[in-house]
Amino acid sequence: MVRVSVVRARLTVMGAVLVVVLAALLIPISVAAFARDGTLVEDTEAFRAKHAAERLGVPSADLALTVMGEEKNRRGVVRAAEVVTGALARQPGVRAVWSGGAKNQAWLRSANGADVLVLARLDGSVKERERTADRLLERARAAVPAYTVQASGPSWTNERIDRRIEHDLLRAELLAAPLVFLLLLITYGSFVSALMPVVVAGVAVGCSIPLLGVLAHVVHISSFAVNAALAIGFGLAVDYTLFLLARYREELAGDLSRSQALDKAVRTSGRSVAFSASAVTVCLSAVALVPVPLVRALALAGVAVTVLSAAAALLLTPACLVLWGPLYERGDPFRRWRSVRLGQGSPFWWRTAQVVTRRWALAGGVAAVSLALLAWPFAHARLGVMDYRIMPASSQVASVNERVRAEFPGAPEQVVTVVVSPPASARQLGSYQAALARVGNVGEVRVAARASGDGTVFLATTRVRAGSGAAADLVKAVRALPAPGPALVGGRAAEVVDTLAAAKRALPWSVALLSGGLALLLALFTRSVVAPLKALVVAVVSLGASLGAVVSVFQDGTARRLLGGFTVTGSLDISLLLFTLAIALSLSVDYEVFLLGRIREEYERGADNRAAVVEGIARTGRLMTSAALAVAISTSAMVTSSVSVLKLIGAGVALAALVDAVVVRGVLVPAVMAALGPANWWLPERKRRRRALPASEPA
């Protein structure tokens, strides 16, 4: 028996308070340890080319400043760019600076000559470069007050994007918390029962930040990954607490004492919480095999938040029920409007399960076809890497970067770098340069550096956007071109190509680990062979529907105005898509664990398969719906952000939770289980022995 004494409950709550206070003190230090960016894989040919070019004196730009003048005063704007170049060269944190004011850098001038680019390579960590970029922008404006100076480039752009993401996520969390509280108040009937999941979720989220701060000293953990994972963790913590509270309320309605009801809730729903958290951990750990730093950061942050959410729910919920159990059962402001006592099964879901299990072929067929139609767009999903277009087109970040890309032939994003190592004669290098210029979508090709004993650097302008299919073809064509010596191809287009290739190579191993781990966990939980396989198949169907909707909206732009509008890029960021996939699959397995656990419990009591399915759906249907709504509210609040990747995560996870809880668990799963019959619980080489259990004894 699981017994929680009053003394132990008080110690648990006091310990939680102390931990939260300590976590609050450590949060500022932890936040400072988080990194930035991480969207690209650095152990690739593209980055080797970047480093080789830098050794030969051709650095890549961290900051791009556009000095803007008038077309009739071209010489003036060129002189202003030279002044800015000189001013920045004397600033600390600047490794190199160059501009279109120089005679050999004419490609850093706009087509009409009215604007000139000043590029800088900065020293230090990512955060240090971002701070330097802000300081340099102010210094440049002070150096030429008569001219307009605008910033772009990776350091300045990423800092502005991260700042917007942090602001929008904080606003989303503050918006979600009271809405979740209101939902729980309506669903569970008392202020204490509504407040408890929110408090437990707050404890889990607050304690996650210092833990992730410690991890950030060992591995790359970006601030964006932390904020995104915390938003997901809030919903999971609410779910786990709800599952325990709902079972406690149900057992109280069955005339058990408070201690007996709590014991039953911990032994049944508590076991499901532990298995569910393990399943989420397996999903996210499998995704961490993908070598993209942001993907790994999202996965690790998600694992930490999930484990702490489960621990907080399993430790704090029983303790709070021991101390304030009577309050949990009182003060229902909606009592007079309730047709069913809290803790009883749902008549709606009981009737639904009866119809579905009786006409399982029709119901399952309709559900499967509906989910297949939702999944159809996923067949043409196209992976990419996020860039400045995740910001609104009207924002300064997006508009300045887009203008630079469109108007300057030598814009950093549009340049392909080729480093050719010796031996190679001048004649061979000249022939190779001419061959580069003939590659489709290549503009001007120039020699940026030539050292007879070390190598030659070619810079080629392109007419296509990095990350597009045409850019990928261009990189492939340049790499296939015979070179007079060992050649490395880099630049933004090559970095995106190499990142996607590395991710795709890791995906089969990730999927294999994920499938095997989930199958093993579900087999241990259900003590069956068929049920885990069925769960995985249904999870894939559910996942496909969610991802298909994401592709339709965020890649194709269908109904994007309903989400506040965003720039349609024609691809989906691989990091965010994999994270959304992992969370959606985790939710699917999460709900499957609780549903299967309840159905199996009824089956072990002696009910036949159909009766067990009906009773399991009736007992968990309202709980699944409210839990899914809590997750949907927690994540859909991110849709209010102006950053498209937050909209993707929020809308994708919210849709996955609702579709899975209503269509999949409410219709498809009972239909499939009715079709399989007793085979659901089949085990090889031994026959399951069933016994009738008294109502008060847990399975």
Side-chain angles (χ1 to χ4, degrees):
M1 300 292 287
V2 178
R3 298 296 184 190
V4 181
S5 66
V6 174
V7 173
R8 180 181 169 187
R10 287 175 179 169
L11 290 175
T12 300
V13 172
M14 291 172 60
V17 171
L18 290 175
V19 169
V20 169
V21 171
L22 180 61
L25 295 175
L26 293 175
I27 283 177
I29 302 174
S30 303
V31 170
F34 298 142
R36 303 278 193 185
D37 199 24
T39 57
L40 298 171
V41 178
E42 297 192 3
D43 185 20
T44 60
E45 177 184 337
F47 274 85
R48 289 194 292 273
K50 176 181 177 179
H51 298 321
E54 289 187 345
R55 287 194 297 271
L56 292 171
V58 185
S60 56
D62 294 308
L63 174 66
L65 298 177
T66 307
V67 182
M68 304 171 64
E70 297 180 358
E71 189 172 353
K72 61 183 179 181
N73 189 23
R74 297 183 181 182
R75 292 185 179 179
V77 74
V78 169
R79 286 195 296 270
E82 292 175 344
V83 171
V84 171
T85 303
L88 298 190
R90 296 187 294 270
Q91 294 295 310
V94 177
R95 183 185 304 177
V97 59
W98 64 102
S99 78
K103 292 182 180 180
N104 64 341
Q105 298 286 347
W107 65 350
L108 297 181
R109 302 172 193 171
S110 62
N112 61 9
D115 303 331
V116 179
L117 278 182
V118 177
L119 305 179
R121 176 66 171 168
L122 309 179
D123 286 321
S125 65
V126 174
K127 286 187 176 181
E128 289 171 340
R129 293 198 297 268
E130 290 174 354
R131 288 193 291 267
T132 302
D134 276 339
R135 176 167 49 82
L136 294 182
L137 175 60
E138 297 303 318
R139 183 69 186 86
R141 287 172 173 171
V144 287
Y147 293 84
T148 299
V149 180
Q150 293 182 331
S152 58
S155 292
W156 188 85
T157 298
N158 292 337
E159 192 274 338
R160 290 300 186 278
I161 291 175
D162 286 341
R163 186 184 298 178
R164 176 66 68 86
I165 286 174
E166 290 171 5
H167 172 270
D168 288 356
L169 277 172
L170 177 60
R171 183 185 61 188
E173 290 166 6
L174 293 176
L175 175 64
L179 292 178
V180 170
F181 173 78
L182 180 61
L183 167 69
L184 299 179
L185 181 61
I186 294 172
T187 306
Y188 289 98
S190 75
F191 287 98
V192 173
S193 62
L195 188 61
M196 194 180 301
V198 178
V199 170
V200 171
V203 171
V205 167
C207 294
S208 299
I209 298 176
L211 175 59
L212 293 172
V214 173
L215 287 176
H217 290 285
V218 181
V219 294
H220 177 97
I221 300 289
S222 69
S223 55
F224 170 70
V226 173
N227 285 303
L230 293 181
I232 301 299
F234 183 89
L236 286 176
V238 168
D239 268 10
Y240 293 155
T241 309
L242 277 183
F243 291 136
L244 289 166
L245 292 179
R247 189 57 185 264
Y248 174 75
R249 177 63 66 87
E250 179 185 331
E251 299 304 330
L252 282 181
D255 296 328
L256 292 182
S257 67
R258 291 191 182 94
S259 61
Q260 289 174 325
L262 179 57
D263 179 76
K264 184 75 171 287
V266 171
R267 285 186 174 276
T268 54
S269 292
R271 177 174 178 265
S272 297
V273 166
F275 269 93
S276 174
S278 301
V280 176
T281 300
V282 167
C283 292
L284 293 173
S285 299
V287 170
L289 292 179
V290 177
V292 181
L294 181 56
V295 174
R296 288 181 169 172
L298 287 165
L300 290 174
V303 168
V305 172
T306 299
V307 171
L308 286 179
S309 296
L314 291 172
L315 292 174
L316 277 179
T317 305
C320 291
L321 288 175
V322 168
L323 297 178
W324 302 296
L327 294 177
Y328 173 77
E329 305 151 31
R330 299 173 188 167
D332 182 2
F334 304 101
R335 182 186 297 274
R336 67 176 65 182
W337 295 287
R338 297 189 190 278
S339 58
V340 180
R341 283 180 59 195
L342 291 173
Q344 293 181 338
S346 167
F348 169 79
W349 285 109
W350 186 86
R351 290 192 296 269
T352 300
Q354 286 279 5
V355 172
V356 168
T357 54
R358 187 179 299 116
R359 297 180 174 85
W360 55 265
L362 176 61
V366 170
V369 170
S370 302
L371 293 171
L373 291 175
L374 276 175
W376 182 257
F378 189 64
H380 65 268
R382 187 173 181 278
L383 300 179
V385 175
M386 73 174 82
D387 56 29
Y388 60 83
R389 290 175 294 169
I390 66 175
M391 296 288 281
S394 59
S395 68
Q396 186 180 19
V397 169
S399 60
V400 174
N401 275 282
E402 189 64 23
R403 185 170 180 270
V404 169
R405 191 197 73 82
E407 296 187 8
F408 293 89
E413 185 182 296
Q414 297 298 105
V415 173
V416 171
T417 304
V418 183
V419 182
V420 179
S421 301
S425 66
R427 180 178 179 181
Q428 289 174 318
L429 291 172
S431 299
Y432 183 68
Q433 181 177 358
L436 276 176
R438 291 192 295 270
V439 173
N441 289 317
V442 169
E444 178 186 353
V445 179
R446 57 191 296 270
V447 178
R450 179 176 294 174
S452 58
D454 298 312
T456 303
V457 180
F458 295 96
L459 299 180
T461 62
T462 66
R463 305 185 182 94
V464 292
R465 184 188 295 274
S468 65
D473 293 338
L474 185 150
V475 171
K476 182 178 180 181
V478 171
R479 286 176 170 169
L481 197 66
L488 297 173
V489 178
R492 174 70 182 185
E495 290 170 358
V496 173
V497 168
D498 290 350
T499 293
L500 295 178
K504 290 176 181 177
R505 286 194 298 270
L507 279 178
W509 297 101
S510 179
V511 171
L513 174 62
L514 188 151
S515 302
L518 287 182
L520 178 60
L521 273 176
L522 289 171
L524 292 173
F525 180 75
T526 61
R527 297 197 288 274
S528 168
V529 172
V530 176
L533 298 178
K534 182 269 301 178
L536 288 178
V537 172
V538 170
V540 169
V541 172
S542 176
L543 188 63
S546 303
L547 294 181
V550 166
V551 170
S552 178
V553 174
F554 291 94
Q555 178 180 301
D556 303 338
T558 305
R560 69 179 184 273
R561 294 185 182 277
L562 294 177
L563 299 180
F566 51 86
T567 301
V568 177
T569 64
S571 64
L572 298 173
D573 176 73
I574 188 168
S575 302
L576 279 303
L577 185 64
L578 288 176
F579 180 66
T580 304
L581 181 153
I583 295 300
L585 182 60
S586 300
L587 289 174
S588 178
V589 175
D590 185 23
Y591 298 150
E592 180 78 7
V593 163
F594 283 94
L595 180 57
L596 277 181
R598 191 53 192 267
I599 293 175
R600 176 187 166 277
E601 189 176 334
E602 299 298 329
Y603 184 75
E604 290 291 335
R605 282 204 179 98
D608 62 32
N609 182 74
R610 181 170 176 267
V613 171
V614 170
E615 186 65 19
I617 295 292
R619 291 290 183 179
T620 62
R622 183 167 56 187
L623 171 62
M624 294 291 184
T625 306
S626 58
L629 281 172
V631 171
I633 291 172
S634 300
T635 56
S636 62
M638 288 191 275
V639 174
T640 62
S641 171
S642 57
V643 183
S644 63
V645 293
L646 291 186
K647 292 180 183 288
L648 187 153
I649 295 175
V653 174
L655 179 65
L658 293 175
V659 168
D660 198 89
V662 178
V663 180
V664 177
R665 304 305 139 194
V667 180
L668 185 60
V669 168
V672 172
M673 294 191 74
L676 291 174
N680 283 294
W681 317 108
W682 177 77
L683 270 176
E685 298 182 2
R686 77 179 181 91
K687 185 177 180 181
R688 178 183 299 275
R689 291 187 298 176
R690 299 167 57 197
R691 60 190 180 93
L693 299 179
S696 61
E697 183 180 348

